[in-house]
Amino acid sequence: MSRSVFAPLRHAFRHPSGRLVMPLLLLGWLFLLPLAAQAQEGSGGGESGSAEGEGRYAALVDLLKDPTERDRLIAELESLSQGDAADGEAGAESPGIAEGLTDGIAGVVSGTIAEMAGAATRLAEGGIEVDWIEVSDVAWRVVSVLVIAYLVLAIGRRLLGGLWRRLEAYAQVPNARHRLMRVGLAVLGSLLSSVALLAIAYVLAQAASLWLAGDGEQAALVIGLALKAFVVVEATRLVIGVVFAPTLPGLRLFHLSEDDSRYWAGWLSRVIWLMGYAGIMLVPAIESSGRPDLADAVGWAVAVLALVYVWSRLWRGRGMVHSALVRRAEASRHALTAWALQLLAASWHWLAMLYALGVFVVAITRPGEALPFVALATFKTVVIVGLSIFLAAMLTQWIGRGVHLPERVLHRMPTLQLRLNTYVPMILRTVRIVIGLVALFGVLWAWNLVNVFAWLGSDAGRGLLGAVIDIAIVLVIALAVWLVATGMIEAKLNSDRDMPSARMQTLLALFRSAIAIALVTITAMIILSELGVNIGPLLAGAGVLGLALGFGAQKMVQDVITGVFIQIENAINAGDIVTAAGVTGTAERLSIRSVTLRDLNGTVHVIPFSSVDIVSNYTREFGVHKGEYGIAYRENVDHAIEQLRAAFDELAADPDYKDRILEPVDIPGVVALADSSVNIRVMIKTTPGDQWAVGRAYNRLVKKYFDEAGIEIPFPHTTLYFGVDKDGTAPPANLRVLEGERRMVGDDEPSTPSGDKPDGPRGRVPDSDDVDLPDR
């Protein structure tokens, strides 16, 4: 029975997804290899055993008919039985699981090596007999078919060069957000065109083989194997070219330099070429000619050569990957990720070399069972991981840089874009976690460790998956409602361009809190319901608690509700001068339930909104200085009005006040004939809050102009009236001067020669006969 290293590869490559396997065997997950091989060992062999059963039975019958071979078989069975007894005694000494697994692998490897040594010995003893005429006849036919195939590929690639260059130019977009998407589309286009070219080359080579094969069965068999090898090798090299793109830098999926991409694509292509044509064409052709020992020897030689070559390439290229991983570790924001990348950078080549060795060991020990499984599982793993990385990178480029809204929307809702971008990292991280979990489940399924997808198809799995999807939908709807509600509030508040930001912030904080509480409560209840929790008692308890809070906090509720309507009606803003609850002052702070005022004395008043019945705001849109100026009854009213207008004209020309005056002065006229004055009303329209300053400046100018015009401004005084005699004369006034007040009017006047004071301008100076002095 043949033990060819490449015999299982023929079965693996017959599978459609197994044609791209060989380059992927150099990468992957070494720790899954022994477990997967053991799992496959228990389930493999059913189909292959049924296919090879008849040949094994015939070989066993022939062996039992030969006495010499029968005696040798009995001797080998006796030795094996003694070895099993010894192994049983050793097993009674309780070897560990890892030790038993290691011993089993070592036994299988040593047995395979012994078998290959025996085959080499038999080959050396029997010699190598080759019919060179037949070999040359088959060889030129095979070479001709391959030359036709590669000639078609060369011509087609030359014709498709212009298309590929246009695809490369299409991928070079200055917008980084769409670069990966356009590169992906360009790579897909180049891949499809290359696959079509490969199919054309295969069809033409297959047509040529019908003429070149002739009537020879061996030539037809080898040409068929050669075409299979051609398809597998070129398809795999096509994938390598798509990944590394050595000739089209604009279509590279990874940030690699020209030399690095050529290095990795070059040696991987050479390994694929060697392993593909040796394993799919050469070794099966030798085996079909009746020389299984020679086929095994060639397979072993090629496998060892490929392993050594892969090791050398990995060792040489370790610095490239190390530098890339170190740069990613330095750019990482998480310490754990940076540490993992640093560790991987230092040991990645050892892991890759061990994986290559593991594939080699599996290939020589269990080629009919484990190797096809490992090859296919590795292919699935790389595809799953590659797709997950590509999707994560696409999402990062699409939404990782933030969401950009149109200018029209930003004008109405300036902070909506900022709020959206605050949730982008969380959403991106969640999607990445989901992608990672799906990729992990796919890898576990590929290696036959845990089939999570089959469990999700069960009743329990469907229930859990449905609950998770429902919860995700509820969370997305809650987030959308939150963003829409806050956006509508912001748009409503920003409809007035002159609205201060303090009111917007107060209302946003209030409504956001209310909406957040409602959304969190409703979302939590729905999620608990999806998880199977009975929310009836929770709703009843919440109702009782709300009723208790409503009775116990009536004043606070009244404060909040009144404050909400005061804010909605834009009655008070921070910085306004208002009168609320009988207190006048500047509003320094507004909260949900109170307003803080500071009066002219510097006293701070904290007034709950429930105590506010009327709000008087002096700083809205405009202010008015309303003044009433009284003049004496003897003055001319029109002349006084002219002076009032002159005073306003000077005020309006003052640079300190002209910008505060909105309209010309309005003088309605005389508004009252008071007891001692004629009152004239003046109204000056000013900017909000400046009516007091403008009024003070105007009062100063009115006093100035009235004094210059001789217009008397009445003021309170007392007039003494002594009556009038019948003849029209006034009687004399009897004055009494207290002690210390004997100095009379005219003391500073010069004395007459007789010593009497002269008569003053207002009459005769009283003498001692006219003044009664008090006794001392």
Side-chain angles (χ1 to χ4, degrees):
M1 182 175 57
S2 175
R3 297 286 295 177
S4 173
V5 175
F6 294 98
L9 291 180
R10 297 196 302 274
H11 301 286
F13 286 130
R14 291 192 185 103
H15 195 280
S17 61
R19 296 180 178 177
L20 309 179
V21 163
M22 290 306 297
L24 307 178
L25 295 176
L26 304 178
L27 306 171
W29 310 38
L30 181 63
F31 68 94
L32 295 174
L33 189 60
L35 296 177
Q38 293 296 321
Q40 183 67 13
E41 179 184 0
S43 58
E47 297 178 359
S48 60
S50 61
E52 300 175 1
E54 296 180 359
R56 293 179 180 179
Y57 294 151
L60 181 59
V61 170
D62 294 338
L63 184 144
L64 293 177
K65 289 180 179 180
D66 188 353
T68 305
E69 294 294 334
R70 184 172 60 250
D71 295 339
R72 189 175 67 178
L73 177 60
I74 293 173
E76 289 180 0
L77 291 176
E78 290 178 351
S79 63
L80 289 175
S81 63
Q82 294 176 359
D84 291 339
D87 292 341
E89 294 176 359
E93 297 177 2
S94 67
I97 297 176
E99 182 181 356
L101 181 61
T102 305
D103 292 342
I105 294 176
V108 172
V109 173
S110 61
T112 305
I113 293 175
E115 182 180 348
M116 294 306 299
T121 302
R122 292 191 299 272
L123 184 62
E125 292 176 353
I128 302 177
E129 297 180 0
V130 180
D131 187 355
W132 293 108
I133 297 177
E134 183 181 359
V135 171
S136 62
D137 181 68
V138 173
W140 79 266
R141 299 175 189 273
V142 173
V143 170
S144 299
V145 171
L146 291 179
V147 167
I148 293 173
Y150 279 104
L151 184 61
V152 173
L153 279 184
I155 296 173
R157 286 170 180 169
R158 189 173 184 84
L159 295 176
L160 291 175
L163 174 62
W164 292 342
R165 285 190 294 271
R166 285 193 292 271
L167 290 175
E168 184 180 12
Y170 170 78
Q172 302 302 314
V173 59
N175 189 0
R177 180 185 293 271
H178 303 107
R179 180 185 179 279
L180 189 57
M181 181 180 65
R182 301 190 70 167
V183 169
L185 293 176
V187 168
L188 181 61
S190 65
L191 179 61
L192 293 177
S193 60
S194 299
V195 170
L197 177 60
L198 180 60
I200 294 173
Y202 173 77
V203 170
L204 294 178
Q206 185 70 36
S209 68
L210 297 177
W211 172 70
L212 290 171
D215 298 332
E217 295 182 0
Q218 185 66 20
L221 175 63
V222 177
I223 290 175
L225 294 174
L227 289 178
K228 291 181 181 179
F230 167 76
V231 172
V232 172
V233 169
E234 293 307 318
T236 308
R237 293 179 64 187
L238 178 61
V239 174
I240 294 175
V242 168
V243 173
F244 296 100
T247 59
L248 298 172
L251 299 182
R252 286 181 191 149
L253 299 177
F254 304 99
H255 296 287
L256 293 174
S257 64
E258 190 75 19
D259 296 337
D260 293 347
S261 62
R262 290 185 180 275
Y263 172 79
W264 291 100
W267 76 263
L268 283 173
S269 297
R270 287 189 289 272
V271 170
I272 293 305
W273 196 91
L274 173 65
M275 298 288 289
Y277 281 105
I280 300 175
M281 183 188 71
L282 182 59
V283 172
I286 296 174
E287 187 177 4
S288 64
S289 64
R291 301 302 302 273
D293 292 339
L294 179 59
D296 291 344
V298 173
W300 262 79
V302 174
V304 172
L305 179 62
L307 177 64
V308 173
Y309 182 74
V310 169
W311 277 1
S312 64
R313 296 298 92 186
L314 290 174
W315 183 261
R316 181 180 177 182
R318 68 188 187 281
M320 305 177 190
V321 182
H322 178 272
S323 301
L325 291 175
V326 168
R327 287 194 298 269
R328 293 295 300 272
E330 292 175 353
S332 178
R333 300 179 181 179
H334 304 285
L336 182 60
T337 304
W339 173 81
L341 291 174
Q342 291 281 359
L343 182 62
L344 184 61
S347 59
W348 79 268
H349 55 286
W350 295 111
L351 296 177
M353 293 169 70
L354 286 175
Y355 180 78
L357 177 61
V359 173
F360 175 78
V361 171
V362 170
I364 65 174
T365 56
R366 301 188 182 277
E369 300 173 355
L371 183 60
F373 168 76
V374 171
L376 188 58
T378 304
F379 170 74
K380 293 178 180 178
T381 299
V382 175
V383 171
I384 291 171
V385 174
L387 286 177
S388 62
I389 293 175
F390 180 77
L391 289 177
M394 287 284 290
L395 289 174
T396 302
Q397 283 200 354
W398 281 348
I399 64 174
R401 300 177 184 271
V403 178
H404 299 281
L405 298 177
E407 292 295 333
R408 180 177 59 85
V409 178
L410 288 177
H411 180 72
R412 294 292 305 275
M413 294 174 281
T415 61
L416 179 59
Q417 178 173 307
L418 179 61
R419 288 199 302 272
L420 283 173
N421 290 329
T422 56
Y423 296 105
V424 166
M426 179 185 66
I427 296 174
L428 187 59
R429 191 179 303 112
T430 303
V431 174
R432 284 176 175 174
I433 291 174
V434 172
I435 293 175
L437 289 176
V438 173
L440 177 61
F441 297 158
V443 171
L444 295 176
W445 162 78
W447 291 93
N448 278 354
L449 294 178
V450 177
N451 194 346
V452 180
F453 301 110
W455 180 81
L456 290 176
S458 63
D459 294 338
R462 285 196 299 269
L464 178 60
L465 185 61
V468 171
I469 294 176
D470 291 343
I471 291 173
I473 293 174
V474 168
L475 292 176
V476 170
I477 293 176
L479 180 60
V481 170
W482 166 255
L483 293 176
V484 170
T486 53
M488 292 177 62
I489 293 171
E490 185 180 7
K492 181 66 177 178
L493 294 177
N494 285 336
S495 61
D496 186 1
R497 296 181 180 180
D498 297 331
M499 188 175 299
S501 60
R503 173 174 175 259
M504 183 184 68
Q505 293 176 357
T506 304
L507 283 179
L508 273 179
L510 178 63
F511 283 109
R512 285 176 61 187
S513 300
I515 295 173
I517 293 173
L519 281 179
V520 169
T521 303
I522 296 173
T523 304
M525 291 297 178
I526 295 176
I527 290 175
L528 291 176
S529 177
E530 289 294 331
L531 294 177
V533 178
N534 186 8
I535 62 173
L538 293 177
L539 294 176
V544 174
L545 181 61
L547 186 62
L549 290 177
F551 280 109
Q554 294 183 26
K555 199 67 174 178
M556 185 181 69
V557 173
Q558 185 181 1
D559 292 340
V560 172
I561 294 176
T562 306
V564 168
F565 283 100
I566 286 177
Q567 289 297 317
I568 290 177
E569 295 171 359
N570 196 17
I572 303 175
N573 286 323
D576 289 353
I577 300 174
V578 299
T579 298
V583 178
T584 301
T586 303
E588 293 189 344
R589 188 177 67 87
L590 287 90
S591 64
I592 297 177
R593 58 171 300 272
S594 65
V595 58
T596 301
L597 301 181
R598 186 181 295 274
D599 62 15
L600 292 178
N601 297 324
T603 305
V604 175
H605 305 267
V606 179
I607 304 172
F609 283 124
S610 60
S611 302
V612 177
D613 295 329
I614 299 175
V615 176
S616 301
N617 196 318
Y618 303 99
T619 54
R620 285 301 165 85
E621 297 181 2
F622 61 89
V624 174
H625 164 66
K626 185 185 74 171
E628 294 185 2
Y629 300 94
I631 60 175
Y633 272 89
R634 67 185 182 188
E635 304 294 343
N636 189 321
V637 174
D638 295 336
H639 181 59
I641 291 176
E642 291 178 0
Q643 298 304 316
L644 291 173
R645 294 187 182 277
F648 174 79
D649 293 339
E650 181 176 347
L651 179 66
D654 191 336
D656 294 335
Y657 296 97
K658 65 179 182 179
D659 294 333
R660 305 182 186 184
I661 299 174
L662 300 180
E663 295 179 0
V665 64
D666 180 19
I667 303 178
V670 176
V671 294
L673 298 175
D675 293 340
S676 59
S677 64
V678 177
N679 296 337
I680 304 174
R681 178 173 294 175
V682 176
M683 301 181 69
I684 302 175
K685 192 174 184 179
T686 67
T687 54
D690 292 324
Q691 58 265 41
W692 296 286
V694 172
R696 289 190 295 270
Y698 185 68
N699 290 338
R700 179 181 65 83
L701 293 176
V702 168
K703 176 66 168 63
K704 171 186 172 183
Y705 275 85
F706 276 12
D707 289 345
E708 292 177 354
I711 298 176
E712 179 183 358
I713 300 176
F715 59 91
H717 59 278
T718 302
T719 301
L720 299 178
Y721 179 66
F722 294 98
V724 180
D725 292 338
K726 291 183 178 182
D727 57 0
T729 60
N734 297 321
L735 300 178
R736 185 171 183 173
V737 180
L738 300 178
E739 184 180 2
E741 299 293 336
R742 299 183 61 178
R743 181 177 178 275
M744 295 299 164
V745 179
D747 285 348
D748 295 333
E749 299 294 333
S751 302
T752 60
S754 61
D756 295 332
K757 300 263 178 101
D759 293 341
R762 297 182 181 242
R764 183 177 60 86
V765 177
D767 55 16
S768 57
D769 296 335
D770 298 325
V771 178
D772 295 333
L773 298 179
D775 296 335
R776 293 183 179 275

